């Protein structure tokens, strides 16, 4: 890169969504790699909260809500999420 690159990234995420957490971790890793490749690279990340599921609230059993919403796909979904988390150094615990 011959010129300075200053980038602002706005990330809209649900702070309780595990996939959003995986995505944020991946973005952080990508920014480190970009900085290694292009030392003059600069990025600022702005996180903007968004509630994906407005029916969620305090005191709800997340596992029960997800089971109702996703049914028999829950085990497969949790397995995939656990794999993605492990790749990013995140140890998800379900239940």
């Amino acid at each position: 890169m011959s010129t300075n690159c200053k980038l602002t990234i706005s990330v809209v995420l649900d702070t309780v969504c595990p996939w959003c957490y995986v995505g944020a971790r991946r973005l952080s890793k990508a920014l480190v790699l970009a900085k290694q490749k292009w030392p003059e690279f600069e990025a600022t990340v702005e996180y903007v909260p968004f509630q994906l599921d407005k029916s969620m609230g305090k005191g709800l059993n997340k596992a029960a809500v997800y089971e109702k919403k996703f049914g028999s796909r829950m085990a497969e979904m949790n397995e995939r999420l656990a794999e993605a988390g492990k790749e990013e150094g995140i140890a998800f615990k379900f239940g």
Side-chain angles (χ1 to χ4, degrees), residues 12-84:
V12 180
L13 54 76
D14 186 326
T15 58
V16 298
C17 171
W19 283 107
C20 291
Y21 185 44
V22 170
R25 181 70 63 94
R26 288 178 174 170
L27 175 60
S28 293
K29 284 178 150 183
L31 293 174
V32 168
L33 291 173
K35 186 71 171 171
Q36 289 172 351
K37 186 168 183 173
W38 303 291
E40 65 276 8
F41 175 82
E42 293 180 36
T44 303
V45 180
E46 301 171 345
Y47 291 97
V48 181
F50 178 79
Q51 189 174 18
L52 288 170
D53 187 347
K54 297 200 184 301
S55 68
M56 294 295 285
K58 273 188 169 179
L60 289 178
N61 180 327
K62 234 180 0 178
V65 171
Y66 291 161
E67 183 68 36
K68 182 178 177 183
K69 187 172 185 173
F70 300 112
S72 63
R73 298 179 300 155
M74 273 308 300
E76 182 181 336
M77 291 170 62
N78 284 343
E79 184 178 320
R80 177 63 193 119
L81 179 59
E83 289 172 12

Side-chain angles (χ1 to χ4, degrees), residues 3-18:
T3 61
N4 282 349
C5 178
K6 293 182 181 181
L7 185 64
T8 300
I9 303 169
S10 293
V11 178
V12 180
L13 54 76
D14 186 326
T15 58
V16 298
C17 171

